[in-house]
Amino acid sequence: MARSLTPRETVIARYDPAGRAAVERTLRTLVRRQGIAAIALAALWGLVTLLPIVVVAADGRAGAALLLALTLAVPLAIGVFGVRQLRRRPRMPDIAVAITPTTVEFPALERPSGLAPRVRAEEWPREGTRAEIRAASGLLSTSLVVFTRQDGRTRRRRTVSAETLDTDPRLIVEALGGPSA
């Protein structure tokens, strides 16, 4: 049963340890698969690129072969990306969101891929920040707590999976729904 919150209370929503571990396992599996796929692509691309270089070099055109050898930079870069992915160990932060009497604080999220955009730590003023619970639908198999804020013309949004929280998501919505001091 949810209890009533006052606007001066601090609410810290942490990730449930079991849910957090499950998400980290899934991220590690996906990161590993992406790394293996990148290395396989790099090897295949490198072999396809190497064949014309060998043919041109065997024909006696060393200058053209050297120029073609520069095209090996692309598969090399993809291979380096793959190795870096295999070394990556993504972790979830302990805290999902902290709502203080004056701010709403989100921790930085570690990128599961070198291709994913960075999610930096943010601190929003509590005044004007809203939260709602969106039920699972379509391809999304989990309900979300969606935080929104309008800063001038910029609409900001952060989401947290409601099923991985150790706090009742209704407490979070209630904490931001009431008037803040």
Side-chain angles (χ1 to χ4, degrees), residues 3-32:
R3 61 183 179 81
S4 181
L5 294 174
T6 64
R8 292 233 175 252
E9 271 190 83
T10 297
V11 176
I12 297 177
R14 298 182 188 284
Y15 287 109
D16 176 55
R20 182 174 170 231
V23 168
E24 287 178 352
R25 272 192 310 274
T26 302
L27 286 176
R28 280 191 211 110
T29 300
L30 293 173
V31 164
R32 183 166 174 77

Side-chain angles (χ1 to χ4, degrees), residues 115-160:
L115 302 174
R118 287 189 176 175
V119 180
R120 298 174 195 249
E122 291 184 295
E123 187 174 300
W124 298 356
R126 185 172 178 165
E127 181 69 35
T129 300
R130 298 288 171 244
E132 67 175 305
I133 300 172
R134 290 211 183 132
S137 65
L139 296 176
L140 190 61
S141 63
T142 180
S143 57
L144 298 174
V145 179
V146 180
F147 297 88
T148 55
R149 173 165 187 72
Q150 189 75 32
D151 286 333
R153 293 183 180 203
T154 305
R155 184 176 180 147
R156 300 167 88 183
R157 185 177 132 176
R158 289 283 291 251
T159 59
V160 175

Side-chain angles (χ1 to χ4, degrees), residues 84-144:
R84 292 182 81 185
Q85 278 300 102
L86 288 176
R87 291 182 180 167
R88 191 178 294 265
R89 300 286 178 245
R91 294 192 35 82
M92 298 282 294
D94 291 331
I95 295 175
V97 63
I99 302 169
T100 68
T102 57
T103 63
V104 179
E105 301 168 3
F106 301 98
L109 298 176
E110 190 175 326
R111 300 183 309 169
S113 167
L115 302 174
R118 287 189 176 175
V119 180
R120 298 174 195 249
E122 291 184 295
E123 187 174 300
W124 298 356
R126 185 172 178 165
E127 181 69 35
T129 300
R130 298 288 171 244
E132 67 175 305
I133 300 172
R134 290 211 183 132
S137 65
L139 296 176
L140 190 61
S141 63
T142 180
S143 57
L144 298 174

Side-chain angles (χ1 to χ4, degrees), residues 43-57:
L44 183 64
W45 193 335
L47 288 174
V48 169
T49 305
L50 192 59
L51 184 61
I53 295 170
V54 171
V55 170
V56 170

